[in-house]
Every structure is written in structure tokens, then in C-alpha cells.
Amino acid sequence: MRSLVTSGWICLQDEYNFVYKIARIDYSEWEDGCFKYSFHPFYSVIDILPPRLFQGIPGIDLSLRRACYERENIVPVFISERTPSENREDLWQLLEESGMDALNRLEWLIRTNKRYPGDNFFVKPVTGEDVITERRSSMYHLVDRYDKILRKLLEIICFGDCLISDEIIINNNNRAEYYRLFMAMYLKDYNSKRAAHIEGIKRAKANNVYRGRMRAQIDPLLFEKISAAYLNNKISVEEATAKLGISRSTFFRRLRDFK
């Protein structure tokens, strides 16, 4: 019997815009109407998350440390609390907004721009572009600046990827140790620059030359292209802001101006 399978990454984003890949979720539906949800947690990433950011996946007892959690013919809490049900009055409007003509709750969660207000989870599609292991002759080929190297390394660690280079090997066995080390270094650099920025503002105000925060410079043609993709549900807000190099609040302000 044939089945339809939809897959996504359950992710979190922290205040520094690092994305953590928490688990893979698969939805399988068969021709006879039976279905199954499967959760595959990434414990090496989960274990580095601070409690303020992550309190578990709703409906899943991660303390059991199972490789896979399955729900057969039952809609799990993670899905039910953040997706529309079959009897919702505005269901067809929600489907149309996401470019869908039939309800697949996981697919809708991947496509929608709406966010569940109860937590910071979002779901990314699993595509061939997602890299599990990166092999490079030197990590310095990644970027050319110290702060960018740190950020790139942390992006790899947080998203559950691995890195093999001449200088360093990052994998599930040492992910937590490197996360603590590199995050401490990153925050020291970040806070130092922030303190210098605040001190510069104070001096500028004292000399009556402070003009406020400069408006972010964005290529209008690029913004038009990215915003059109976002409005047509081809990319998520996270992908749009990453491509433009701006925050969510800036993106939505510019989107209002653009409209």
C-alpha cells in the first residue's frame, strides 16, 4: 500500500539568531486513511540548550531518551496545538493562504507564516540542501574574520551538523564542549562590541552629535524578490531575514513600507 510522507525539522531560534535543530518529524499517511507521526530527537543538540530556551517537545517525554517516538492514528500534541483541525471554520482560507488544496497538518505547519504563541518552535522543510556533515581542508576557508568564524562554527554546532577540518573535528561526541567554549568566546566578543557601541552613543549624545540609529541599507530589488517569495509562501520569515541580513522586526516594518 502506497504512503505519502512529509518531513520537517523542528527548530528553535535564540536571541542571537542561532537556529537549533531539535528533532526530525515525519508524517506518513496511507491510502486506507491510517497515519503515523514519528519524532526523531537530536539529543546532542537538545543537551546544549539552556532551560530558558527549551523545556521539551510538547507531548513527548524526552527523559526516556528514545531514538524515535511514534503516534499511530493519533494527532500528537505538538501538531494539534499549532495547526488547524479538519472542522475549523476558516480551514480552506488557511489552506489557500499556504498554497494547499488539502489538509496535511505537518505540511501546513512547514508552509505557514503563522506562529503558535505558546513557544518559539518552528518547522523547516527537510530538503537536499540540509547538510549533515561538512568536510573542509581548513576551517579558515569558511570565513575570513574571527567573529565570523566563531559564528559559523556555532551555526554548525547548533543545527546539529558536523565539521571535519585540518584544525578541528566537531561531532555529536564533543558538541556540548565546543558549544560552551565557542559560545563563551562569541558572547565575550558580542558584549564587548555592544558595550563599545553604547559608550559611543553616550559620547555622541554628550557632544550633541547623536542622530539615532541608522536605517538598515537594503537592496530594494533584492527586498522585492525576497518579500515576494515570502508573501507567496515559498520561503519562511526566518529564511527571508537570513537572506536579507536583518531582524524580524525590521523585515516586517520594511514589508509594510513596501506594501
Side-chain angles (χ1 to χ4, degrees):
M1 189 184 309
R2 291 184 300 176
S3 65
L4 171 69
V5 179
T6 305
S7 300
W9 302 125
I10 299 176
C11 300
L12 280 175
Q13 189 170 25
D14 68 12
E15 62 269 40
Y16 306 105
N17 293 321
F18 289 112
V19 175
Y20 299 78
K21 187 170 64 178
I22 307 301
R24 174 173 173 144
I25 179 172
D26 298 309
Y27 171 70
S28 303
E29 183 178 359
W30 287 268
E31 292 176 323
D32 62 359
C34 293
F35 61 90
K36 179 176 68 175
Y37 287 90
S38 302
F39 294 81
H40 303 268
F42 299 117
Y43 291 108
S44 71
V45 174
I46 290 172
D47 290 343
I48 68 177
L49 285 162
R52 63 175 173 74
L53 188 64
F54 179 72
Q55 297 83 43
I57 300 174
I60 301 296
D61 186 359
L62 294 175
S63 66
L64 299 176
R65 305 291 287 192
R66 293 176 180 169
C68 179
Y69 296 78
E70 295 185 342
R71 300 290 185 268
E72 294 188 10
N73 299 318
I74 297 174
V75 179
V77 174
F78 179 83
I79 295 294
S80 64
E81 68 183 8
R82 66 195 70 229
T83 62
S85 61
E86 295 178 352
N87 56 4
R88 181 163 168 165
E89 290 185 1
D90 61 346
L91 174 62
W92 293 108
Q93 178 183 343
L94 293 173
L95 292 178
E96 184 178 352
E97 289 175 354
S98 299
M100 301 172 62
D101 54 15
L103 179 61
N104 175 326
R105 297 176 79 159
L106 178 56
E107 182 68 27
W108 183 85
L109 189 56
I110 291 171
R111 292 192 185 197
T112 186
N113 296 317
K114 302 181 184 299
R115 282 290 193 91
Y116 174 66
D119 53 48
N120 294 321
F121 288 115
F122 62 94
V123 180
K124 290 182 58 176
V126 174
T127 69
E129 297 177 357
D130 292 296
V131 178
I132 301 302
T133 302
E134 293 194 12
R135 289 181 171 84
R136 297 178 183 270
S137 60
S138 172
M139 70 178 183
Y140 296 108
H141 292 176
L142 295 172
V143 285
D144 56 358
R145 278 176 35 188
Y146 165 78
D147 56 339
K148 289 187 177 181
I149 290 175
L150 272 180
R151 181 159 189 93
K152 180 60 179 179
L153 289 171
L154 282 167
E155 287 173 352
I156 291 171
I157 291 170
C158 294
F159 201 67
D161 290 340
C162 301
L163 174 66
I164 301 174
S165 73
D166 292 342
E167 300 87 1
I168 190 172
I169 295 176
I170 297 174
N171 54 38
N172 292 339
N173 296 325
N174 58 23
R175 189 177 308 279
E177 289 80 3
Y178 277 123
Y179 175 78
R180 288 192 292 268
L181 173 63
F182 293 145
M183 183 58 79
M185 295 168 64
Y186 179 83
L187 292 180
K188 182 179 180 180
D189 182 67
Y190 176 88
N191 290 329
S192 175
K193 290 178 179 177
R194 190 167 188 271
H197 178 68
I198 293 173
E199 184 61 29
I201 290 176
K202 289 180 179 179
R203 288 197 301 269
K205 286 182 176 179
N207 295 323
N208 295 319
V209 294
Y210 180 65
R211 298 181 179 179
R213 185 175 179 179
M214 295 293 291
R215 185 177 174 88
Q217 298 299 311
I218 304 173
D219 184 333
L221 294 179
L222 177 61
F223 184 82
E224 182 177 358
K225 177 182 177 181
I226 299 300
S227 61
Y230 167 76
L231 293 171
N232 290 319
N233 298 301
K234 294 181 179 179
I235 61 173
S236 66
V237 65
E238 287 77 22
E239 292 171 310
T241 54
K243 290 177 183 294
L244 292 169
I246 58 177
S247 66
R248 286 171 59 94
S249 58
T250 299
F251 175 71
F252 286 118
R253 282 198 302 271
R254 295 298 179 87
L255 192 60
R256 287 194 296 270
D257 295 343
F258 177 72
K259 287 182 178 180

